[in-house]
Amino acid sequence: SKLQFLYFIDINSNSMGDLVTVKGGCHCKSVRWSAQIPSQATVWDCNCSICLMKNNKHIIVPDSLFTILSGSDKLKCYKFNTMKAQHLFCNICGVQSFYKPRSNPDGVGINPVCIDTDCLHTLSLSYSKFDGQNWEKHIKTSTITKLSKL
């Protein structure tokens, strides 16, 4: 079946709102996780060098709303530049289903395409741009840092 996402822009929403529990993970299913995310979540589309190259999009949630269910021993970490973001990927299939973003060290960035398809019907996703090529300037005006706070 074809996956459908509902996209709309709501860059001023910082509220967690109604939370839904979703599960997801990597392609080979070695890494599995569960998260509580807002039913109307913002997907951040970043244009920094690594997000652009990987076509990485992410939903930010607080650490306390994210749980690794299995496969933590299969995770490898890649860091570069400031060494703050932890780009975690499965050492078997190579998929990054989540990571620890520089913008939200107290949160997790979930890749929405790694959410199990049977959970997608509970979500209404909007997209918001993050100018990662001008990170220091953009972080000062972005609402992204509020998303890992309860």
Side-chain angles (χ1 to χ4, degrees):
S1 81
K2 190 176 183 179
L3 296 181
Q4 288 187 326
F5 291 95
L6 173 62
Y7 301 122
F8 60 94
I9 295 176
D10 182 15
I11 61 173
N12 297 315
S13 177
N14 298 323
S15 168
M16 291 302 280
D18 294 333
L19 296 176
V20 295
T21 300
V22 297
K23 290 184 178 179
C26 66
H27 184 259
C28 72
K29 305 217 182 308
S30 292
V31 176
R32 298 290 298 154
W33 46 259
S34 174
Q36 290 183 288
I37 66 173
S39 59
Q40 294 188 0
T42 299
V43 178
W44 290 87
D45 184 2
C46 179
N47 67 352
C48 76
S49 62
I50 197 162
C51 287
L52 196 60
M53 192 170 271
K54 292 189 311 183
N55 195 22
N56 185 34
K57 315 259 186 298
H58 42 277
I59 299 168
I60 305 291
V61 298
D63 280 334
S64 62
L65 300 180
F66 182 85
T67 304
I68 297 175
L69 301 173
S70 63
S72 60
D73 60 325
K74 303 290 189 246
L75 291 171
K76 293 294 180 187
C77 183
Y78 172 68
K79 297 180 182 182
F80 71 102
N81 194 15
T82 66
M83 308 301 278
K84 293 190 178 175
Q86 297 174 33
H87 299 274
L88 301 162
F89 60 93
C90 173
N91 70 358
I92 297 171
C93 67
V95 169
Q96 176 184 294
S97 60
F98 71 95
Y99 82 114
K100 297 286 294 174
R102 176 182 173 196
S103 60
N104 300 77
D106 55 350
V108 175
I110 295 171
N111 187 338
V113 299
C114 293
I115 295 172
D116 292 349
T117 55
D118 62 341
C119 298
L120 293 175
H121 73 281
T122 62
L123 302 175
S124 178
L125 303 176
S126 65
Y127 264 47
S128 191
K129 299 281 186 185
F130 185 84
D131 186 4
Q133 291 182 3
N134 298 291
W135 198 95
E136 285 77 10
K137 180 179 178 184
H138 193 77
I139 197 70
K140 293 175 184 173
T141 60
S142 175
T143 60
I144 196 169
T145 57
K146 297 177 184 175
L147 297 173
S148 53
K149 312 287 187 254
L150 287 177

